């Protein structure tokens, strides 16, 4: 298994272009199953999780053609639905959590969808009830093979209905939405997720001929249509990667410009980093981060109490960036309470930061207090392993700022979410090698 060797303590300089959004791409790629016509998608990130999904689509019979860098065409006109019940699919599908979103479009178009219990990051329970309760509300019959951990839904016809989701699940909303666009009648989804990923999926589906209102809100109304056509779609820049570059620039005292970020889709991400005292400037559609040679100071609340940063469904702060904010706070002036509300195991990587010299009190699985060093005490290099995608990039940021040479193992976890991260870091002047 590959590892990264990183010589830390080096300031970086230059420009970086963020990859396409992984979370959006997983939804968009599944949506190509809704039509027999050709769909062209650009800005597809070249990362492990996306390539796994593309491989699944190919084995399902989707005709895939590479048109240019990060641009592909997909045509699902002759699918091999027998593959869905094969041993190969049961094994390969469970390796990717995003494969769950194959079910909605398959159910809509072919009246059945199957999926093994998907894996993914080890960040706590991530239940699938919202997905299947939505399908059942539309009239599908649900079955589950406990021995094989294999789910299935089938329906002769999906009928539009009103549903109130028990949680504003992004993947659950996407899956139900893709099933509802070809249901008979009107479907109303209340407490729908409204992240930019969902907005982008809605826009793509509407270009394909779907009838959707309420895009951008938590109340979606879908009038079912009989069929959908092909389209072209461009994936947004990855907001999680953009936040990671902001944190990396501040932590390593680097001057970096992040190009073409899609400011209107970043929500509270820029202001969340500004609360840590990080200076970032909007220059057109770019973000410029100057070298923080004098450090950065965490703001308190207006009554003087310690700043608390927590995650929430959109338009709140995405949980995928809390680990980056935690790492960046270790070198700030001041203290911060970080509250991870949406997953229960995403803070368990802090022991590695404590080993590097960070001052962190892990209060419980959801809360940590970070006391910043103000760069007066540099983190120490160490050997560590990446437990998941977001913790992995955070440990990489810590290693880039630390004194000495760090080793990060299990970097496949980082490669699942970040495209050629070592190459792009070297282009900025980082000393990082894949061995």
């Amino acid at each position: 298994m590959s590892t990264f060797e990183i010589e830390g303590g080096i300031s970086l300089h230059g420009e970086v272009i963020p990859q396409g959004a992984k979370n959006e791409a997983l939804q968009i790629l599944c949506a190509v199953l809704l039509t027999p016509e050709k769909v062209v998608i650009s800005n597809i990130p070249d990362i492990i999780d996306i390539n796994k999904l593309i491989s699944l689509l190919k084995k399902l019979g989707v005709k895939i053609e590479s048109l240019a860098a990060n641009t592909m065409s997909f045509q699902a006109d002759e699918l091999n639905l027998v593959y869905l019940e094969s041993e190969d699919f049961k094994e390969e599908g469970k390796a990717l959590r995003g494969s769950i979103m194959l079910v909605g479009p398959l159910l809509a178009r072919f009246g059945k969808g199957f999926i093994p219990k998907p894996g993914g990051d080890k960040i706590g329970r991530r239940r699938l009830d919202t997905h299947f309760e939505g399908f059942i509300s539309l009239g599908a019959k649900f079955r589950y093979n406990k021995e094989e951990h294999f789910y299935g839904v089938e329906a002769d016809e999906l009928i539009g209905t009103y549903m109130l989701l028990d949680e504003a699940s992004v993947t659950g909303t996407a899956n139900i939405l893709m099933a509802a666009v070809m249901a008979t009648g009107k479907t109303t989804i209340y407490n729908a997720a409204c992240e930019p990923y969902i907005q982008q999926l809605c826009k793509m589906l509407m270009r394909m001929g779907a009838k959707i209102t309420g895009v951008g809100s938590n109340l979606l109304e879908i009038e079912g249509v009989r069929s959908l056509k092909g389209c072209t779609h461009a994936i947004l820049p990855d907001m999680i990667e953009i936040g990671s570059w902001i944190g990396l620039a501040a932590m390593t005292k680097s001057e970096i410009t992040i190009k073409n970020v899609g400011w209107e889709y970043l929500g509270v991400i820029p202001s969340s980093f500004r609360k840590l005292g990080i200076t970032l400037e909007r220059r057109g559609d770019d973000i410029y981060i100057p070298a923080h040679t004098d450090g950065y100071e965490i703001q308190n609340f207006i009554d003087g109490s310690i700043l608390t940063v927590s995650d929430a469904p959109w338009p709140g702060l995405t949980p995928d960036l809390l680990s980056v904010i935690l790492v960046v706070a270790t070198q700030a002036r001041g203290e911060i309470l970080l509250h991870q509300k949406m997953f229960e195991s995403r803070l368990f990587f802090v022991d590695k930061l404590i080993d590097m010299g960070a001052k962190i009190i892990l209060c419980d699985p959801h809360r940590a207090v970070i006391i910043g060093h103000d760069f007066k005490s540099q983190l120490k290099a160490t050997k560590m392993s990446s437990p998941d995608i977001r913790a992995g990039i955070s440990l990489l940021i810590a290693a880039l700022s630390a004194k000495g040479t760090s080793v990060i193992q299990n970097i496949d976890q980082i490669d699942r979410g970040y495209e050629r991260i070592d190459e792009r870091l070297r282009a900025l002047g980082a000393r990082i090698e894949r061995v």
Side-chain angles (χ1 to χ4, degrees):
M1 187 173 292
S2 297
T3 63
F4 281 149
E5 288 186 359
I6 305 111
E7 183 180 341
I10 298 169
S11 293
L12 313 181
H13 184 275
E15 297 180 347
V16 64
I17 299 174
Q19 68 188 36
K22 172 196 168 182
N23 291 340
E24 178 189 338
L26 290 170
Q27 301 175 18
I28 296 301
L29 289 172
C30 292
V32 306
L33 296 172
L34 286 165
T35 178
E37 297 185 17
K38 186 174 290 189
V39 176
V40 176
I41 303 173
S42 59
N43 204 26
I44 302 171
D46 183 12
I47 55 177
I48 288 177
D49 279 5
I50 298 302
N51 293 334
K52 282 183 179 179
L53 180 56
I54 291 172
S55 176
L56 284 176
L57 291 172
K58 189 175 292 185
K59 291 181 179 180
L60 188 53
V62 179
K63 298 169 185 171
I64 301 173
E65 183 181 356
S66 180
L67 304 179
N70 304 100
T71 300
M72 295 181 176
S73 68
F74 301 82
Q75 189 161 8
D77 57 345
E78 295 179 315
L79 295 186
N80 174 25
L81 297 180
V82 176
Y83 171 68
L84 292 173
E85 298 185 72
S86 69
E87 292 302 316
D88 283 349
F89 179 66
K90 291 176 183 178
E91 189 63 31
E92 294 167 0
K94 69 182 182 182
L96 176 66
R97 184 165 185 83
S99 62
I100 182 64
M101 288 181 288
L102 295 169
V103 178
L106 288 170
L107 178 63
R109 188 171 161 208
F110 300 103
K112 59 182 180 180
F114 307 105
I115 195 72
K117 183 178 180 179
D121 288 337
K122 306 304 180 185
I123 55 175
R125 293 172 296 164
R126 304 169 82 185
R127 59 191 181 86
L128 300 174
D129 298 52
T130 302
H131 299 249
F132 290 108
E133 287 173 2
F135 297 146
I136 292 168
S137 295
L138 291 170
K141 295 180 180 178
F142 170 74
R143 56 188 174 91
Y144 176 48
N145 184 323
K146 290 184 178 180
E147 292 182 0
E148 296 185 342
H149 299 288
F150 198 66
Y151 300 92
V153 283
E154 296 176 287
D156 294 329
E157 182 184 18
L158 296 178
I159 305 295
T161 187
Y162 171 90
M163 63 182 80
L164 173 61
L165 303 188
D166 61 346
E167 63 172 345
S169 164
V170 176
T171 55
T173 300
N175 226 350
I176 297 166
L177 177 63
M178 288 188 282
V181 290
M182 294 174 68
T184 300
K186 180 180 176 181
T187 299
T188 300
I189 307 174
Y190 194 27
N191 195 30
C194 51
E195 273 80 350
Y197 314 130
I198 295 293
Q199 297 175 39
Q200 284 286 96
L201 176 62
C202 288
K203 291 173 185 177
M204 174 185 174
L205 293 173
M206 289 190 288
R207 284 195 294 274
M208 296 171 74
K211 298 178 180 178
I212 306 170
T213 58
V215 178
S217 76
N218 68 348
L219 180 65
L220 294 175
E221 294 183 333
I222 306 103
E223 193 69 43
V225 297
R226 287 185 168 230
S227 62
L228 296 174
K229 60 186 179 181
C231 72
T232 61
H233 180 82
I235 293 171
L236 288 175
D238 195 312
M239 69 171 78
I240 314 304
E241 185 183 319
I242 292 165
S244 302
W245 286 115
I246 294 171
L248 182 150
M251 188 80 167
T252 58
K253 299 183 179 181
S254 301
E255 182 183 7
I256 293 177
T257 299
I258 312 170
K259 304 290 290 183
N260 306 321
V261 299
W263 264 92
E264 65 270 34
Y265 298 102
L266 293 180
V268 299
I269 291 174
S271 62
S272 296
F273 282 101
R274 286 180 175 131
K275 288 178 182 178
L276 298 181
I278 296 172
T279 299
L280 55 94
E281 300 175 15
R282 179 172 184 171
R283 295 183 174 180
D285 200 34
D286 303 340
I287 293 177
Y288 169 73
I289 305 107
H292 286 68
T293 53
D294 295 326
Y296 43 93
E297 184 172 359
I298 298 172
Q299 299 176 7
N300 289 330
F301 285 122
I302 56 175
D303 64 356
S305 58
I306 186 173
L307 179 68
T308 300
V309 173
S310 58
D311 58 335
W314 188 269
L317 180 65
T318 171
D320 286 336
L321 279 176
L322 280 192
S323 58
V324 173
I325 288 174
L326 188 154
V327 169
V328 174
T330 64
Q331 288 295 359
R333 286 190 296 276
E335 302 80 34
I336 186 172
L337 171 62
L338 191 140
H339 192 174
Q340 167 64 268
K341 297 178 179 178
M342 296 174 69
F343 300 101
E344 66 262 22
S345 305
R346 266 194 162 160
L347 298 182
F348 287 162
F349 75 102
V350 302
D351 60 328
K352 300 172 178 63
L353 297 175
I354 293 170
D355 289 343
M356 298 176 78
K359 295 179 181 178
I360 303 173
I361 302 168
L362 187 60
C363 307
D364 54 45
H366 292 274
R367 297 178 301 157
V369 174
I370 302 98
I371 303 166
H373 288 177
D374 191 18
F375 291 103
K376 292 175 182 176
S377 175
Q378 196 172 2
L379 296 180
K380 303 184 299 289
T382 189
K383 184 176 182 178
M384 47 196 162
S385 179
S386 172
D388 63 68
I389 299 173
R390 307 309 174 187
I393 197 68
S394 302
L395 294 175
L396 179 56
I397 292 171
L400 287 164
S401 72
K403 183 178 181 180
T405 300
S406 293
V407 174
I408 302 180
Q409 300 172 326
N410 197 27
I411 61 170
D412 281 357
Q413 288 287 351
I414 301 174
D415 289 337
R416 286 176 52 211
Y418 292 85
E419 181 177 323
R420 299 179 291 103
I421 189 67
D422 51 328
E423 294 178 27
R424 293 193 285 162
L425 284 167
R426 282 194 293 272
L428 297 173
R431 296 177 186 171
I432 176 172
E433 295 297 332
R434 185 184 296 259
V435 294

